[in-house]
Amino acid sequence: MLAVTALTGPLLGAAPPVTSTGWAASGSVDVTIDNEHIVTGELAKCTADGPYNGWSQGGATGDIAVFGAGESGCGRSGDAAIAQASGRRFRATVLQRYGGPELTVRTFTAKCATTDIGSGGEVTVGAVEGVTVPSQIPPNHRIVIPGGAAGTALATVTLNETVTPQPPDGSLVTHAVHIKLFPQGGPASGDIYLGTAACDPFGKK
């Protein structure tokens, strides 16, 4: 007698269900200075699949940056993923060793949410010092901090940054503030992010 085994699960050829994803973090540092690699990972990180909330009391990363308290919240509303993060009292001190300014940001937030076919995001940035910031910050507003060798930049500061893949796939990443060290090369390299939120309606992590 032949044994018959019952199989459960999706039918062959059936597309898996689409689950939107999202995550957020209050900030991160990933830089290399004098051949030393300094990485904090994402601070106060949450995801739409849990953990749903993140919190960080902040602290100093050597003489590179000082983070104040940060928090995040993620989840879903129906099929839509939602992610947001905020922080306060940030100081970037790393540029002072190269004769540059101290950068401070009093408050910042980043948010995103998915739709059926895409994602939308928004950021807020309050009381920035060390660079000149317009009263209304346009998308991807980039500020060059001069002072590197042979006329190169010590850093670039991008406010209200949105990153989307090419070709577009419905996902996006928003950063309230993105500091890039020596973008044309120099004694340091890497990135500091304040307020990051990432969303994808089709389930990419």
Side-chain angles (χ1 to χ4, degrees):
M1 179 179 296
L2 295 175
V4 178
T5 302
L7 300 178
T8 61
L11 297 176
L12 290 178
V18 172
T19 302
S20 60
T21 58
W23 66 271
S26 64
S28 65
V29 172
D30 186 346
V31 301
T32 299
I33 299 176
D34 297 331
N35 297 318
E36 181 182 4
H37 191 197
I38 301 99
V39 181
T40 62
E42 283 93 12
L43 303 174
K45 185 177 181 179
C46 67
T47 79
D49 295 303
Y52 302 114
N53 300 98
W55 185 82
S56 170
Q57 67 179 4
T61 304
D63 65 350
I64 298 169
V66 179
F67 288 88
E71 58 188 358
S72 66
C74 297
R76 289 191 178 88
S77 176
D79 293 331
I82 302 168
Q84 61 182 23
S86 63
R88 59 193 69 88
R89 295 186 178 89
F90 169 82
R91 292 190 293 123
T93 53
V94 62
L95 296 179
Q96 290 182 305
R97 67 166 71 187
Y98 307 109
E102 177 181 275
L103 305 177
T104 65
V105 183
R106 183 176 298 174
T107 59
F108 53 88
T109 65
K111 304 176 183 178
C112 68
T114 64
T115 66
D116 290 342
I117 58 172
S119 305
E122 65 178 84
V123 305
T124 63
V125 181
V128 178
E129 296 183 0
V131 292
T132 301
V133 176
S135 57
Q136 297 294 323
I137 302 173
N140 298 308
H141 182 67
R142 185 168 170 266
I143 302 165
V144 177
I145 300 177
T152 60
L154 291 181
T156 57
V157 180
T158 305
L159 308 173
N160 191 12
E161 183 176 53
T162 300
V163 181
T164 56
Q166 295 299 327
D169 64 3
S171 68
L172 61 76
V173 181
T174 61
H175 305 292
V177 181
H178 174 195
I179 302 169
K180 187 171 189 64
L181 303 181
F182 291 93
Q184 297 153 301
S189 63
D191 305 274
I192 301 171
Y193 293 101
L194 306 183
T196 295
C199 286
D200 189 290
F202 306 118
K204 184 176 69 178
K205 297 296 184 181

